[in-house]
Amino acid sequence: MTAAFGQPARSVLACGEVRTCLLPSHQALDSRAAVQLLRLRADEHVRVSERPSLYVLSPEVLTGVDCRLPAANGSKVRAVGTVAARAALTEGRLLQSTAYFSVPAVGPDTRRTWGQYLVRPGFVEPFGKLPQQATAEGVLQGARRGELDLGMISEGLLAQLRRHPLLDRRVPFKSSPTRLRWVAYRTSDGERASLVSFTVAEGGLRTMELRLPEHIPAASAAGICEDLALHDWLLTTVQHMLDNSRLGATDGPSVVETLHPVVVHLLHLWMPRAHVDPALGHLWDVLEEKPGFSRQWKNLSRRIRDRLALQAVATPHQALSTR
């Protein structure tokens, strides 16, 4: 039996996908320019936080959907509603876009009018019963043809922002974007939010599973996933730059040239939980224990600083020997 309109069923699952990349701009944007970039709607304000780091969050935009839900077992469950999407810019340098929705365990047997779907932004209703586990697995595996594709919506927003006239499309260094697909299983309000799994796959893909109490909004779930995606991008990018620099195998100006962008643009960005719902901040504890995100970052930072310090000491001696 489905809930009547005005008494909507509670969601049992929230799903999303985050795209993270370097802003295509040679210079980082200040807060005023960032607000201009992320003003996706004229009727809602862009949110700006300047402490402890500059973080700018766009209002949500909605995409109406009427299609099948992703399903790992091949189930063909039609769903109708709206997917919410938003963008964030951290320190004027790292750009993220996120698309997400919530879905109940059971939906109506007939289609509602669009007005009824629009009053619940970011909420998608299945026709009949939701195959919850199959849908979660389908989202993590990626949508197939004809299914609701969160990645396409998120990438579409990212592409729109990259074309903004504010941006000169000149990046200070080369990097690759990453994708984080996530699902959050709803639990009773008596339970504490928990991280079920985090996996790293090939091609810049990551997946994440959460368990969240009913009272925590899907937007907060998107926030913790964005925070994780941002710091995973930092780790991945700096590690890749170090691997390609042949650190320790070369000396001289080439070392400084290779590591300079890391010091100038990235090292100061490491700030887990800075803009996360306090009710979800503890989820970082799992990642700090294993695989130990912050330990990895400190180790990378130490290697970079030590190498640059050695180069600074060696340079005067090299200059004297060439006279």
Side-chain angles (χ1 to χ4, degrees), residues 34-50:
V35 168
Q36 187 177 346
L37 174 70
L38 298 187
R39 187 175 287 119
L40 302 181
R41 294 174 54 173
D43 60 335
E44 287 195 30
H45 293 293
V46 177
R47 293 168 52 191
V48 179
S49 175
E50 296 186 347

Side-chain angles (χ1 to χ4, degrees), residues 36-295:
Q36 187 177 346
L37 174 70
L38 298 187
R39 187 175 287 119
L40 302 181
R41 294 174 54 173
D43 60 335
E44 287 195 30
H45 293 293
V46 177
R47 293 168 52 191
V48 179
S49 175
E50 296 186 347
R51 300 288 185 275
S53 59
L54 178 60
Y55 176 75
V56 184
L57 182 65
S58 79
E60 292 181 348
V61 291
L62 301 180
T63 299
V65 295
D66 184 347
C67 56
R68 298 198 311 272
L69 289 172
N73 63 359
S75 300
K76 295 183 179 181
V77 177
R78 178 185 170 192
V80 183
T82 60
V83 172
R86 68 187 192 185
L89 187 64
T90 300
E91 283 293 326
R93 179 57 71 193
L94 293 189
L95 180 63
Q96 295 181 288
S97 64
T98 305
Y100 62 94
F101 68 90
S102 296
V103 60
V106 63
D109 297 325
T110 58
R111 197 179 187 281
R112 306 183 193 273
T113 64
W114 269 116
Q116 292 174 313
Y117 293 112
L118 290 174
V119 298
R120 300 198 73 188
F123 196 80
V124 172
E125 287 185 328
F127 279 36
K129 187 176 180 181
L130 174 75
Q132 182 179 356
Q133 190 59 41
T135 299
E137 293 174 4
V139 168
L140 296 178
Q141 292 173 9
R144 293 174 291 189
R145 185 180 180 87
E147 295 178 340
L148 199 166
D149 192 337
L150 291 172
M152 183 175 66
I153 296 173
S154 181
E155 183 62 32
L157 176 56
L158 204 61
Q160 172 190 332
L161 294 171
R162 284 168 167 167
R163 294 192 298 267
H164 198 284
L166 273 174
L167 308 179
D168 58 22
R169 285 169 282 282
R170 293 172 53 231
V171 294
F173 58 90
K174 293 182 179 179
S175 63
S176 298
T178 58
R179 300 167 290 154
L180 171 64
R181 295 175 185 152
W182 59 269
V183 296
Y185 306 97
R186 290 299 190 177
T187 64
S188 65
D189 280 340
E191 293 188 38
R192 196 181 190 208
S194 61
L195 176 61
V196 178
S197 68
F198 173 73
T199 62
V200 177
E202 296 180 353
L205 174 65
R206 287 86 172 95
T207 62
M208 185 173 178
E209 294 178 273
L210 307 168
R211 292 179 63 84
L212 294 182
E214 293 176 353
H215 72 277
I216 296 180
S220 293
I224 183 68
C225 294
E226 289 163 347
D227 194 53
L228 170 60
L230 183 143
H231 290 86
D232 171 77
W233 185 93
L234 286 170
L235 270 176
T236 302
T237 300
V238 172
Q239 182 66 67
H240 183 71
M241 294 174 75
L242 284 177
D243 291 344
N244 288 344
S245 71
R246 298 176 63 223
L247 189 63
T250 59
D251 292 305
S254 62
V255 173
V256 177
E257 182 179 348
T258 300
L259 299 180
H260 180 264
V262 178
V263 176
V264 173
H265 301 290
L266 300 182
L267 286 189
H268 64 290
L269 298 183
W270 191 265
M271 211 168 294
R273 313 179 221 220
H275 305 285
V276 171
D277 186 330
L280 299 178
H282 68 277
L283 296 180
W284 260 100
D285 295 341
V286 178
L287 297 169
E288 297 293 29
E289 292 175 8
K290 185 178 180 181
F293 269 41
S294 289
R295 289 198 304 274

